[in-house]
Every structure is written in structure tokens, then in C-alpha cells.
Amino acid sequence: MRWDFSKIFVFGLGKAGMSAVLALADDGIEVLAWDDGQKARDALNKKDLNKVQLIAPSHCNFEDIDALILSPGIPFTHPKPHPVVTMAANAACPIICDIELLYLSDKNAKYIGITGTNGKSTTTSLLGHILQNSGLKSVVGGNICTPVLDLKPLGKNGIYVIEMSSYQLDLIDKTRFNISILLNITPDHLDRHGDMAGYVAAKCHIYDRQNQDDFAI
């Protein structure tokens, strides 16, 4: 198995959320899932997955859940936490995103994280292009385009080049980037981070857990 989980709740069934549901279910993990939008729930229902149950968070006991996978578009702290965040937090249920799932499933690979208010997609694409044309085993994903759980596993000597939004950076707990790049910070998404200090703090999570062997740019 890729993960040491038995039951996961995925909230938010956009690209990243749906990708997480499919990857977890494929790994044999029991998945509870929900989206506030009926269209997204209907899309999941059509997939007819045996290990996946659509259930509203209010009907779920988060004390029995190993982790809440929260899609980046769901308010985590501001302007106020979504009710599902409060339910999980009150039950001491870890709240993470799909990036964390990738890291937990492939710790032997190398990770490059890129964030910034402007230029992160261009920089991520350029780095991916350079690595791939240098003959290195690498893939590009994250906020830029492809959900990370849709990427092929790379293992040792592989390099994930991941564009990280401030929302995603708020939802990682163990992920460590061997190379972390923070390009710039100008006021943006302040409604989701409370103020500029909150936005800066979120961006700086890209440096969390780095050690003396890593690079912070």
C-alpha cells in the first residue's frame, strides 16, 4: 500500500480532491467524501467506486478518521474556517492536502517547491523543462496543472517539481522540500489569510522542515 491509512475523509471534489479520492480508493483505503456542490457529488457518484461513500461531514465521526484531505479552495482559517475544518480540528483529526499524500507515498524522491505571488507557474514550468531536457527523471504538477496524485511515482532519483499556492502550504505537515523557492510576496488573497502577516506566514511554510542538506532560495 502507498499509505498507512484505513479511513480518509476527502472534502472538495474538484481536480485535486477527485484525484485524491481515486488514488486512495485504488489503494484499498476506505474513503468518505463530500462537496457542497451537487454537480461535484453527481460526478463522483457516476464513478461507482466500491470503497467510496458520499457522506455529509455533519454525519461523520471525525474521531474515527485518519485524516481530512481538504481541497485548497476550502476556507481553512479566514474569513472563517469551513465547518468541516472545525469538526476535524475539534476531533484532533489531521487536516492536510494532496501534496502531503504524495510526499507520504514517495519519500525517497526529491522535491522542489516553488511559490510566490507572481511568476511561480513560469518558474515551475522552466525548472521542469530544464530537468527533463537534462535527462533527469522528473515531473511537474501541483497548483500549476496536474494534480500531484495523477503523477507517476518516481521513487529514488526522481524529482517532483511542484508549484505551491499559499492555500496548499497551509495544509502540509510533514512534506519537506529539498529545494524551496519563494520568488516574491505582494498583497494577495488577504481575505483567505486575514492580513499580510498571515499571507507571508503561509508562504514561508515552504521552508518548514528543511535541514542543512537542503536549499532555501
Side-chain angles (χ1 to χ4, degrees):
M1 293 181 68
R2 295 174 67 184
W3 296 285
D4 187 23
F5 296 128
S6 58
K7 186 186 291 188
I8 294 286
F9 196 109
V10 177
F11 190 90
L13 297 173
K15 284 202 305 183
M18 190 69 78
S19 172
V21 168
L22 297 176
L24 290 163
D26 185 61
D27 202 46
I29 295 167
E30 181 181 356
V31 180
L32 309 181
W34 192 254
D35 192 290
D36 287 335
Q38 183 65 50
K39 185 176 180 180
R41 299 199 300 269
D42 289 344
L44 180 58
N45 263 330
K46 290 178 181 177
K47 295 186 181 297
D48 194 26
L49 301 169
N50 291 332
K51 298 287 290 186
V52 179
Q53 177 186 1
L54 270 171
I55 181 171
S58 57
H59 296 155
C60 177
N61 179 9
F62 279 92
E63 292 182 356
D64 293 335
I65 303 297
D66 294 319
L68 167 64
I69 310 304
L70 192 69
S71 290
I74 309 299
F76 183 53
T77 55
H78 295 84
K80 64 178 182 179
H82 189 283
V84 72
V85 172
T86 303
M87 293 176 204
N90 288 342
C93 175
I95 305 171
I96 58 177
C97 67
D98 61 327
I99 310 292
E100 185 90 338
L101 285 177
L102 172 68
Y103 181 79
L104 293 174
S105 72
D106 202 357
K107 291 183 180 179
N108 290 325
K110 299 294 185 183
Y111 291 82
I112 300 176
I114 300 100
T115 196
T117 306
N118 299 294
K120 56 186 179 291
S121 293
T122 302
T123 304
T124 302
S125 297
L126 179 59
L127 281 174
H129 177 77
I130 291 170
L131 292 172
Q132 289 161 11
N133 280 273
S134 298
L136 296 172
K137 185 169 63 173
S138 60
V139 290
V140 173
N143 190 61
I144 187 172
C145 52
T146 307
V148 295
L149 294 178
D150 287 352
L151 301 172
K152 62 180 180 181
L154 296 179
K156 189 176 181 181
N157 299 322
I159 305 169
Y160 292 100
V161 184
I162 304 176
E163 178 185 324
M164 297 291 295
S165 71
S166 55
Y167 305 158
Q168 291 167 318
L169 287 166
D170 267 340
L171 296 170
I172 57 173
D173 179 59
K174 294 181 172 62
T175 301
R176 168 183 152 231
F177 292 106
N178 304 98
I179 301 176
S180 292
I181 302 170
L182 174 51
L183 298 167
N184 49 61
I185 303 180
T186 54
D188 199 14
H189 304 306
L190 301 190
D191 58 326
R192 282 288 302 271
H193 296 288
D195 54 23
M196 190 62 181
Y199 180 51
V200 170
K203 287 293 191 185
C204 287
H205 284 316
I206 201 160
Y207 300 123
D208 292 352
R209 292 166 294 280
Q210 287 195 295
N211 61 37
Q212 61 185 6
D213 296 321
D214 301 324
F215 294 89
I217 301 173

